[in-house]
Coordinates of all heavy atoms in Angstrom, one line a residue:
Y142 N -11.8 -0.3 -1.7 CA -12.3 -0.1 -0.4 C -11.6 1.3 0.1 O -10.5 1.6 -0.4 CB -11.9 -1.1 0.6 CG -10.7 -1.4 1.0 CD1 -10.2 -0.6 2.2 CD2 -9.7 -2.2 0.5 CE1 -8.8 -0.7 2.7 CE2 -8.4 -2.2 0.9 CZ -8.0 -1.6 2.1 OH -6.6 -1.7 2.5
L231 N -13.9 -4.1 6.8 CA -12.5 -4.5 7.0 C -12.0 -3.8 8.2 O -12.6 -2.7 8.6 CB -11.5 -4.1 5.7 CG -12.0 -4.5 4.4 CD1 -13.1 -3.7 3.8 CD2 -10.7 -4.6 3.5
F256 N -14.7 -8.8 5.7 CA -14.0 -9.0 4.5 C -12.7 -9.5 4.8 O -12.2 -10.5 4.2 CB -14.1 -7.8 3.7 CG -13.5 -8.0 2.3 CD1 -14.4 -8.3 1.2 CD2 -12.2 -7.8 1.9 CE1 -14.0 -8.4 -0.1 CE2 -11.7 -8.1 0.6 CZ -12.6 -8.4 -0.4
W257 N -12.0 -8.7 5.6 CA -10.7 -9.2 6.2 C -10.3 -8.5 7.5 O -10.8 -7.5 7.8 CB -9.6 -9.1 5.2 CG -8.9 -7.8 4.9 CD1 -8.6 -6.8 5.8 CD2 -8.5 -7.3 3.6 NE1 -8.1 -5.7 5.2 CE2 -7.9 -6.0 4.0 CE3 -8.4 -7.8 2.4 CZ2 -7.4 -5.2 2.9 CZ3 -7.9 -7.1 1.3 CH2 -7.4 -5.8 1.6
L258 N -9.5 -9.3 8.3 CA -8.8 -8.7 9.4 C -7.3 -8.5 9.0 O -6.6 -9.5 8.7 CB -8.9 -9.6 10.6 CG -8.5 -9.2 11.9 CD1 -9.2 -7.9 12.4 CD2 -8.6 -10.2 13.0
E259 N -6.8 -7.3 9.1 CA -5.5 -7.0 8.4 C -4.4 -6.8 9.6 O -4.6 -6.2 10.6 CB -5.7 -5.6 7.8 CG -4.5 -5.2 7.0 CD -4.7 -3.9 6.2 OE1 -5.9 -3.5 6.1 OE2 -3.7 -3.3 5.9
D260 N -3.3 -7.3 9.3 CA -2.0 -7.1 10.1 C -2.2 -7.3 11.6 O -2.1 -6.5 12.3 CB -1.5 -5.7 9.9 CG -0.9 -5.5 8.5 OD1 -0.5 -6.6 7.9 OD2 -0.7 -4.4 8.0
A264 N 4.6 -10.0 11.0 CA 4.9 -11.4 10.3 C 6.3 -11.7 10.1 O 6.6 -12.6 9.2 CB 4.1 -11.4 9.0
Q267 N 6.9 -15.8 10.5 CA 5.7 -16.2 9.8 C 5.0 -17.4 10.3 O 3.7 -17.5 10.2 CB 6.0 -16.3 8.3 CG 6.6 -14.9 7.6 CD 6.7 -14.9 6.2 OE1 6.3 -15.8 5.6 NE2 7.3 -14.0 5.7
L270 N 1.9 -17.4 12.6 CA 0.5 -17.2 12.1 C -0.3 -18.5 12.0 O -1.5 -18.5 11.9 CB 0.5 -16.5 10.7 CG 0.5 -15.0 10.7 CD1 1.0 -14.6 9.4 CD2 -0.9 -14.5 11.1
R274 N -4.3 -18.9 12.4 CA -5.0 -19.7 11.4 C -5.8 -20.9 11.9 O -6.9 -21.2 11.6 CB -4.2 -20.1 10.3 CG -4.9 -20.8 9.1 CD -5.9 -19.9 8.5 NE -5.5 -19.4 7.2 CZ -6.2 -18.5 6.6 NH1 -7.2 -17.9 7.0 NH2 -5.7 -18.1 5.4
P280 N -11.0 -14.2 7.5 CA -10.0 -13.9 6.4 C -8.9 -12.9 6.9 O -9.2 -12.0 7.5 CB -10.7 -13.4 5.3 CG -12.2 -13.8 5.5 CD -12.3 -13.8 7.0
L281 N -7.7 -13.4 6.7 CA -6.5 -12.5 7.1 C -5.8 -11.9 5.9 O -5.6 -12.6 4.9 CB -5.6 -13.5 7.8 CG -6.1 -14.3 9.1 CD1 -5.0 -15.2 9.6 CD2 -6.4 -13.2 10.2
A282 N -5.3 -10.7 6.1 CA -4.6 -9.9 5.2 C -3.3 -9.4 5.8 O -3.4 -8.8 6.8 CB -5.5 -8.7 4.6
I283 N -2.2 -9.6 5.1 CA -0.9 -9.2 5.7 C 0.0 -8.9 4.4 O -0.2 -9.5 3.3 CB -0.3 -10.3 6.6 CG1 -1.0 -10.4 7.9 CG2 1.2 -10.1 6.7 CD1 -0.4 -11.4 8.9
G284 N 1.0 -8.1 4.7 CA 2.0 -8.0 3.7 C 2.5 -6.6 3.2 O 3.3 -6.4 2.4
E285 N 1.9 -5.5 3.8 CA 2.2 -4.2 3.3 C 3.5 -3.8 3.6 O 4.1 -2.8 3.0 CB 1.0 -3.2 3.8 CG 1.2 -2.9 5.2 CD 0.1 -1.9 5.7 OE1 -1.1 -2.2 5.5 OE2 0.4 -0.9 6.2
V286 N 4.2 -4.4 4.5 CA 5.6 -4.0 4.9 C 6.6 -5.0 4.2 O 7.8 -5.0 4.5 CB 5.9 -4.0 6.4 CG1 5.1 -2.9 7.0 CG2 5.7 -5.3 7.1
F287 N 6.1 -6.0 3.4 CA 6.9 -6.9 2.7 C 7.4 -6.3 1.3 O 6.8 -5.4 0.8 CB 6.1 -8.2 2.3 CG 5.8 -9.1 3.5 CD1 5.0 -10.1 3.4 CD2 6.3 -8.7 4.8 CE1 4.6 -11.0 4.4 CE2 5.9 -9.5 5.8 CZ 5.1 -10.6 5.7
N288 N 8.6 -6.8 1.0 CA 9.3 -6.2 -0.1 C 9.7 -7.1 -1.3 O 10.0 -6.7 -2.4 CB 10.6 -5.4 0.2 CG 10.4 -4.5 1.5 OD1 10.9 -4.6 2.5 ND2 9.5 -3.6 1.4
T289 N 9.6 -8.4 -1.1 CA 9.9 -9.3 -2.1 C 9.0 -10.5 -2.0 O 8.4 -10.9 -1.0 CB 11.4 -9.8 -1.9 OG1 11.6 -10.6 -0.8 CG2 12.3 -8.7 -2.0
V290 N 9.1 -11.4 -3.1 CA 8.4 -12.7 -3.0 C 8.9 -13.6 -1.9 O 8.1 -14.4 -1.3 CB 8.4 -13.4 -4.4 CG1 9.9 -13.9 -4.6 CG2 7.5 -14.5 -4.6
W291 N 10.1 -13.4 -1.5 CA 10.7 -14.3 -0.5 C 10.1 -13.9 0.9 O 9.9 -14.8 1.8 CB 12.2 -14.2 -0.5 CG 12.7 -14.7 -1.8 CD1 12.9 -16.0 -2.2 CD2 13.1 -14.0 -2.9 NE1 13.4 -16.1 -3.4 CE2 13.5 -14.9 -4.0 CE3 13.2 -12.6 -3.1 CZ2 14.0 -14.5 -5.2 CZ3 13.7 -12.2 -4.4 CH2 14.0 -13.1 -5.3
D292 N 9.8 -12.6 1.1 CA 9.1 -12.3 2.3 C 7.6 -12.9 2.4 O 7.2 -13.2 3.5 CB 8.9 -10.8 2.3 CG 10.2 -10.0 2.4 OD1 11.1 -10.5 2.9 OD2 10.3 -8.9 1.7
C293 N 7.0 -13.1 1.3 CA 5.7 -13.5 1.2 C 5.6 -15.1 1.2 O 4.5 -15.7 1.4 CB 4.9 -13.0 0.0 SG 5.1 -11.2 -0.2
Q294 N 6.6 -15.7 0.9 CA 6.6 -17.1 0.4 C 5.9 -18.1 1.4 O 5.0 -18.8 1.0 CB 8.1 -17.7 0.3 CG 8.2 -19.0 -0.4 CD 9.6 -19.4 -0.7 OE1 10.5 -18.6 -0.6 NE2 9.8 -20.6 -1.2
Q295 N 6.3 -18.1 2.7 CA 5.8 -19.0 3.6 C 4.2 -18.7 3.9 O 3.4 -19.7 3.9 CB 6.5 -19.1 5.0 CG 5.9 -20.1 6.0 CD 6.7 -20.1 7.2 OE1 7.7 -19.3 7.5 NE2 6.5 -21.1 8.1
L296 N 3.9 -17.4 4.1 CA 2.6 -17.1 4.2 C 1.6 -17.6 3.1 O 0.5 -18.0 3.3 CB 2.3 -15.5 4.3 CG 3.0 -15.0 5.6 CD1 2.8 -13.5 5.5 CD2 2.5 -15.5 6.8
I297 N 2.1 -17.6 2.0 CA 1.4 -18.0 0.7 C 1.4 -19.5 0.6 O 0.3 -20.2 0.5 CB 2.0 -17.3 -0.6 CG1 1.6 -15.8 -0.6 CG2 1.3 -18.0 -1.8 CD1 2.3 -15.0 -1.7
T298 N 2.5 -20.1 0.6 CA 2.6 -21.6 0.4 C 2.0 -22.4 1.4 O 1.5 -23.5 1.1 CB 4.0 -22.0 0.1 OG1 4.8 -21.7 1.3 CG2 4.6 -21.3 -1.2
E299 N 1.9 -21.9 2.6 CA 1.2 -22.6 3.7 C -0.3 -22.1 3.9 O -1.0 -22.5 4.7 CB 1.9 -22.5 5.0 CG 3.2 -23.1 5.2 CD 3.7 -23.2 6.5 OE1 2.9 -23.1 7.5 OE2 4.9 -23.3 6.7
R300 N -0.6 -21.2 3.0 CA -2.0 -20.5 3.0 C -2.3 -20.1 4.4 O -3.3 -20.3 4.9 CB -3.0 -21.3 2.4 CG -4.0 -20.4 1.8 CD -5.2 -21.1 1.0 NE -6.1 -20.1 0.4 CZ -7.0 -19.3 1.1 NH1 -7.0 -19.5 2.4 NH2 -7.7 -18.5 0.5
L301 N -1.5 -19.2 5.0 CA -1.6 -18.7 6.3 C -2.4 -17.4 6.3 O -2.8 -16.8 7.3 CB -0.3 -18.5 7.1 CG 0.4 -19.8 7.3 CD1 1.8 -19.5 8.0 CD2 -0.3 -20.8 8.2
I302 N -2.6 -16.9 5.0 CA -3.3 -15.6 4.8 C -4.3 -15.8 3.6 O -4.1 -16.9 2.9 CB -2.4 -14.4 4.5 CG1 -1.5 -14.8 3.2 CG2 -1.6 -14.1 5.7 CD1 -0.7 -13.6 2.8
D303 N -5.2 -14.9 3.5 CA -6.1 -15.0 2.3 C -5.8 -13.9 1.3 O -6.2 -14.1 0.1 CB -7.6 -14.8 2.9 CG -7.9 -15.9 3.9 OD1 -8.5 -16.9 3.3 OD2 -7.7 -15.7 5.1
Y304 N -5.2 -12.9 1.8 CA -4.9 -11.8 0.9 C -3.4 -11.2 1.2 O -3.1 -11.1 2.2 CB -5.8 -10.5 1.2 CG -7.2 -10.8 1.0 CD1 -8.0 -11.2 2.1 CD2 -7.9 -10.7 -0.3 CE1 -9.4 -11.6 1.9 CE2 -9.3 -11.0 -0.5 CZ -10.0 -11.5 0.7 OH -11.4 -11.8 0.5
I305 N -2.7 -11.0 0.0 CA -1.3 -10.5 0.2 C -1.3 -9.1 -0.3 O -2.0 -8.7 -1.2 CB -0.4 -11.3 -0.7 CG1 1.1 -10.8 -0.5 CG2 -0.7 -11.3 -2.2 CD1 1.6 -11.1 1.0
R306 N -0.7 -8.2 0.7 CA -0.9 -6.8 0.6 C 0.3 -5.9 0.2 O 0.4 -4.7 0.4 CB -1.2 -6.3 2.1 CG -2.5 -6.9 2.6 CD -3.8 -6.1 2.3 NE -3.6 -4.8 2.9 CZ -3.7 -3.6 2.4 NH1 -3.8 -3.5 1.1 NH2 -3.6 -2.5 3.1
T307 N 1.3 -6.5 -0.5 CA 2.5 -5.9 -0.9 C 2.0 -4.6 -1.8 O 1.3 -4.8 -2.8 CB 3.4 -6.7 -1.7 OG1 2.7 -7.4 -2.7 CG2 4.1 -7.7 -0.8
A308 N 2.7 -3.5 -1.5 CA 2.5 -2.3 -2.4 C 3.4 -2.5 -3.6 O 4.5 -2.9 -3.5 CB 2.9 -1.0 -1.6
I309 N 2.9 -2.0 -4.7 CA 3.6 -2.2 -6.0 C 5.0 -1.7 -6.0 O 5.9 -2.3 -6.3 CB 2.8 -1.6 -7.2 CG1 1.3 -2.1 -7.2 CG2 3.4 -1.8 -8.5 CD1 1.2 -3.5 -7.3
A312 N 7.5 -3.3 -3.3 CA 8.0 -4.7 -3.7 C 8.5 -4.7 -5.1 O 8.5 -5.7 -5.8 CB 6.8 -5.6 -3.5
H317 N 8.0 -7.4 -10.3 CA 8.2 -8.3 -9.2 C 6.8 -8.6 -8.6 O 6.6 -9.8 -8.2 CB 9.2 -7.8 -8.2 CG 9.6 -8.7 -7.2 ND1 10.3 -9.8 -7.6 CD2 9.4 -8.9 -5.9 CE1 10.6 -10.6 -6.5 NE2 10.0 -10.1 -5.4
V318 N 5.9 -7.7 -8.4 CA 4.7 -8.0 -7.8 C 3.8 -9.0 -8.6 O 3.1 -9.8 -8.1 CB 3.9 -6.7 -7.5 CG1 2.5 -7.0 -6.8 CG2 4.7 -5.8 -6.5
R319 N 3.9 -8.9 -9.9 CA 3.2 -9.9 -10.7 C 3.7 -11.3 -10.4 O 2.9 -12.2 -10.5 CB 3.3 -9.5 -12.2 CG 4.6 -9.7 -12.9 CD 4.7 -9.0 -14.2 NE 3.7 -9.6 -15.1 CZ 3.8 -9.6 -16.5 NH1 5.0 -9.1 -17.0 NH2 2.8 -10.1 -17.3
K320 N 5.0 -11.5 -10.1 CA 5.5 -12.8 -9.7 C 4.8 -13.2 -8.3 O 4.6 -14.4 -8.0 CB 7.0 -12.8 -9.7 CG 7.6 -12.5 -11.0 CD 9.1 -12.4 -11.0 CE 9.6 -12.0 -12.4 NZ 11.1 -11.8 -12.4
I321 N 4.8 -12.2 -7.4 CA 4.1 -12.6 -6.1 C 2.7 -13.0 -6.3 O 2.3 -14.0 -5.7 CB 4.2 -11.3 -5.2 CG1 5.7 -11.0 -4.8 CG2 3.5 -11.5 -3.8 CD1 5.8 -9.6 -4.2
F322 N 2.0 -12.3 -7.2 CA 0.5 -12.7 -7.4 C 0.5 -14.1 -8.2 O -0.5 -14.8 -8.0 CB -0.2 -11.6 -8.1 CG -0.4 -10.3 -7.4 CD1 -0.9 -9.2 -8.0 CD2 -0.2 -10.3 -6.1 CE1 -1.1 -8.0 -7.3 CE2 -0.4 -9.1 -5.3 CZ -0.9 -8.0 -6.0
A323 N 1.5 -14.3 -8.9 CA 1.5 -15.6 -9.7 C 1.6 -16.7 -8.7 O 0.9 -17.8 -8.8 CB 2.6 -15.7 -10.8
L324 N 2.5 -16.6 -7.7 CA 2.7 -17.6 -6.7 C 1.4 -17.7 -5.9 O 1.0 -18.8 -5.5 CB 3.9 -17.1 -5.7 CG 4.2 -18.1 -4.5 CD1 4.5 -19.5 -5.0 CD2 5.2 -17.5 -3.6
A325 N 0.8 -16.5 -5.5 CA -0.4 -16.5 -4.6 C -1.5 -17.3 -5.5 O -2.3 -18.0 -4.7 CB -0.8 -15.1 -4.4
E326 N -1.6 -17.2 -6.8 CA -2.8 -17.8 -7.4 C -2.7 -19.3 -7.2 O -3.7 -20.0 -7.2 CB -2.6 -17.4 -8.9 CG -3.7 -17.9 -9.8 CD -3.6 -17.5 -11.3 OE1 -2.5 -17.0 -11.7 OE2 -4.6 -17.8 -11.9
I327 N -1.5 -19.9 -7.2 CA -1.4 -21.3 -7.1 C -2.1 -21.8 -5.8 O -2.7 -22.9 -5.8 CB 0.1 -21.8 -7.1 CG1 0.7 -21.4 -8.5 CG2 0.2 -23.3 -6.9 CD1 2.1 -21.6 -8.6
F328 N -2.0 -21.0 -4.8 CA -2.5 -21.4 -3.5 C -3.8 -20.6 -3.0 O -4.1 -20.5 -1.9 CB -1.4 -21.0 -2.3 CG -0.1 -21.9 -2.6 CD1 0.9 -21.4 -3.4 CD2 -0.1 -23.2 -2.0 CE1 2.0 -22.3 -3.6 CE2 1.0 -23.9 -2.2 CZ 2.1 -23.5 -3.0
Q329 N -4.5 -20.1 -4.1 CA -5.8 -19.5 -3.8 C -5.7 -18.3 -2.9 O -6.6 -18.1 -2.0 CB -6.9 -20.5 -3.4 CG -7.1 -21.5 -4.6 CD -8.2 -22.5 -4.2 OE1 -8.0 -23.4 -3.4 NE2 -9.4 -22.3 -4.7
V330 N -4.6 -17.6 -2.9 CA -4.4 -16.4 -2.2 C -4.7 -15.2 -3.1 O -4.2 -15.2 -4.2 CB -3.1 -16.2 -1.5 CG1 -2.8 -14.9 -0.9 CG2 -3.0 -17.3 -0.5
M331 N -5.3 -14.1 -2.7 CA -5.7 -13.0 -3.5 C -4.8 -11.8 -3.4 O -4.3 -11.6 -2.2 CB -7.1 -12.6 -3.2 CG -8.2 -13.7 -3.4 SD -8.5 -14.2 -5.1 CE -9.4 -12.9 -5.8
G332 N -4.5 -11.1 -4.4 CA -3.9 -9.9 -4.4 C -4.7 -8.7 -3.9 O -5.8 -8.6 -4.4
A333 N -4.2 -7.9 -3.1 CA -4.9 -6.7 -2.6 C -3.9 -5.6 -2.1 O -3.6 -5.4 -0.9 CB -5.8 -7.1 -1.4
P334 N -3.3 -5.0 -3.1 CA -2.1 -4.1 -2.7 C -2.4 -2.9 -1.8 O -3.5 -2.3 -1.8 CB -1.7 -3.6 -4.1 CG -2.2 -4.4 -5.1 CD -3.5 -5.0 -4.5
H335 N -1.5 -2.7 -0.9 CA -1.4 -1.6 0.0 C -1.5 -0.3 -0.9 O -0.8 -0.2 -2.0 CB -0.2 -1.6 0.7 CG 0.0 -0.5 1.8 ND1 -1.0 -0.2 2.7 CD2 1.0 0.3 2.2 CE1 -0.7 0.7 3.6 NE2 0.6 1.0 3.2
G336 N -2.4 0.7 -0.6 CA -2.5 1.9 -1.4 C -2.9 3.1 -0.6 O -3.9 3.7 -0.9
S348 N -1.0 -0.1 -9.6 CA -1.8 -1.1 -8.9 C -3.1 -1.4 -9.8 O -3.4 -2.6 -9.9 CB -2.3 -0.6 -7.6 OG -1.4 -0.7 -6.6
L351 N -2.1 -3.4 -13.0 CA -1.9 -4.9 -12.6 C -3.1 -5.5 -12.2 O -3.3 -6.6 -12.7 CB -0.8 -4.8 -11.6 CG -0.3 -6.3 -11.2 CD1 0.3 -7.0 -12.4 CD2 0.7 -6.2 -10.0
G352 N -3.9 -4.9 -11.4 CA -5.2 -5.4 -11.0 C -6.2 -5.8 -12.1 O -6.8 -6.8 -12.0
T355 N -4.9 -9.0 -13.7 CA -4.5 -10.1 -12.9 C -5.8 -10.9 -12.4 O -6.6 -10.3 -11.7 CB -3.7 -9.7 -11.6 OG1 -2.6 -9.1 -12.1 CG2 -3.3 -10.8 -10.8
N357 N -6.3 -13.2 -10.0 CA -6.5 -13.3 -8.5 C -6.3 -12.0 -7.8 O -5.8 -12.0 -6.8 CB -5.6 -14.4 -8.0 CG -4.1 -14.1 -8.1 OD1 -3.7 -13.6 -9.2 ND2 -3.3 -14.3 -7.1
F358 N -6.7 -11.0 -8.4 CA -6.7 -9.6 -7.8 C -8.1 -9.3 -7.1 O -9.1 -9.5 -7.8 CB -6.4 -8.5 -8.8 CG -6.1 -7.2 -8.3 CD1 -4.7 -6.9 -8.2 CD2 -7.0 -6.4 -7.9 CE1 -4.4 -5.6 -7.6 CE2 -6.7 -5.0 -7.3 CZ -5.3 -4.7 -7.2
A359 N -8.2 -9.0 -5.9 CA -9.4 -8.9 -5.2 C -9.9 -7.6 -5.0 O -11.1 -7.3 -5.4 CB -9.2 -9.6 -3.7
I360 N -9.1 -6.6 -4.5 CA -9.5 -5.3 -4.1 C -8.4 -4.4 -4.0 O -7.2 -4.7 -3.7 CB -10.3 -5.4 -2.8 CG1 -11.2 -4.1 -2.5 CG2 -9.4 -5.7 -1.6 CD1 -12.2 -4.3 -1.4
Q361 N -8.6 -3.0 -4.2 CA -7.6 -2.0 -4.1 C -7.9 -1.0 -3.1 O -9.1 -0.5 -3.1 CB -7.4 -1.4 -5.5 CG -6.4 -0.3 -5.4 CD -5.0 -0.6 -5.1 OE1 -4.5 -1.7 -5.7 NE2 -4.4 0.1 -4.2
E362 N -7.0 -0.7 -2.2 CA -7.2 0.4 -1.2 C -7.1 1.7 -1.9 O -6.3 2.0 -2.7 CB -6.0 0.2 -0.2 CG -6.2 1.4 1.0 CD -5.1 1.2 2.0 OE1 -4.1 0.5 1.7 OE2 -5.3 1.8 3.1

Side-chain angles (χ1 to χ4, degrees):
Y142 74 90
L231 305 82
F256 187 92
W257 76 41
L258 187 62
E259 182 179 346
D260 287 341
Q267 298 187 12
L270 273 162
R274 183 59 109 188
L281 301 175
I283 283 180
E285 69 183 55
V286 298
F287 290 174
N288 310 123
T289 69
V290 69
W291 298 282
D292 299 325
C293 309
Q294 184 175 0
Q295 184 175 8
L296 295 179
I297 291 173
T298 58
E299 292 192 26
R300 209 181 184 285
L301 300 176
I302 58 173
D303 299 271
Y304 301 92
I305 187 65
R306 297 269 295 127
T307 49
I309 305 302
H317 193 64
V318 175
R319 68 193 302 207
K320 296 174 183 178
I321 296 173
F322 289 171
L324 176 66
E326 182 180 11
I327 298 171
F328 294 91
Q329 295 181 286
V330 172
M331 304 292 284
H335 188 46
S348 281
L351 185 58
T355 301
N357 62 317
F358 194 98
I360 197 167
Q361 176 61 52
E362 183 175 18

